[in-house]
Amino acid sequence: MAEREETGWPSDWSERIAGKDCPMCRDLGKGDKEHAVHVYDGTVTEVHLARRTAVRGYCVVTWKGPHVADPTDLAPDDAARYWMDVLEVGRAVRAVYDPVKVNYLLLGNWVPHLHTHVVPRYLDDPAPGGPLSWERLVEVPPTPAEQLHREAEALRAAVSGPTSD
Ligand SMILES: [Zn+2]
């Protein structure tokens, strides 16, 4: 993979947008990853829990269909399924972690494969009342794997559990 440049988009950006050597496509269906443990598969997504996070419960929801860069690249039915999966993760995160707010980030400025960062926010998190920078979010020691797997189990239970209606 090309080195991150000081400013500007990576030199192979158009190839990345097209999915060439996409690391997220490559890792689909492979369970735990270097940076995250597998939680469950949604209808059209895979859900992972980040190993390094300043806020407990930070999940990444990844589109598991053929490579696309943005939600606008999806057909309407697939786009609806994608958002329903994202919302389901948001509900599970609220049920398990009781955050004061949940942030939904669609970035993909380095790996442009459709995914959404579901980031719970807390009263005492590193940037109360404002956006949490990437550095503050992930530049912390990894959570022990045992704890992450326990949390993944709780999230799965929240998703499959009874709804309020
Ligand atoms: Zn991809």
Side-chain angles (χ1 to χ4, degrees), residues 22 25 67 113:
C22 174
C25 284
H67 180 93
H113 177 116

Side-chain angles (χ1 to χ4, degrees), residues 8-134:
W9 298 96
S11 57
D12 62 345
W13 187 245
S14 58
E15 293 174 337
R16 291 188 194 201
I17 288 281
K20 184 171 185 293
D21 302 327
C22 174
M24 288 188 146
C25 284
R26 180 196 66 209
D27 289 345
L28 286 172
K30 293 187 179 165
D32 292 355
K33 303 197 266 195
E34 181 185 353
H35 300 295
V37 302
H38 182 253
V39 180
Y40 68 94
D41 274 24
T43 308
V44 293
T45 59
E46 289 185 349
V47 182
H48 287 80
L49 194 54
R51 294 182 192 275
R52 290 180 186 273
T53 176
V55 288
R56 292 176 62 227
Y58 160 34
C59 290
V60 180
V61 185
T62 306
W63 165 252
K64 66 179 179 183
H67 180 93
V68 296
D70 282 311
T72 46
D73 297 328
L74 296 174
D77 284 355
D78 280 340
R81 289 185 193 99
Y82 181 79
W83 291 117
M84 292 302 281
D85 278 9
V86 171
L87 297 180
E88 186 169 56
V89 174
R91 280 191 286 270
V93 164
R94 285 173 65 168
V96 171
Y97 297 94
D98 195 26
V100 295
K101 181 72 179 76
V102 179
N103 292 168
Y104 299 86
L105 310 177
L106 277 98
L107 302 172
N109 300 315
W110 185 246
V111 178
H113 177 116
L114 176 59
H115 62 288
T116 301
H117 303 268
V118 177
V119 183
R121 302 298 307 273
Y122 300 100
L123 285 177
D124 60 349
D125 78 20
L132 187 52
S133 73
W134 189 252

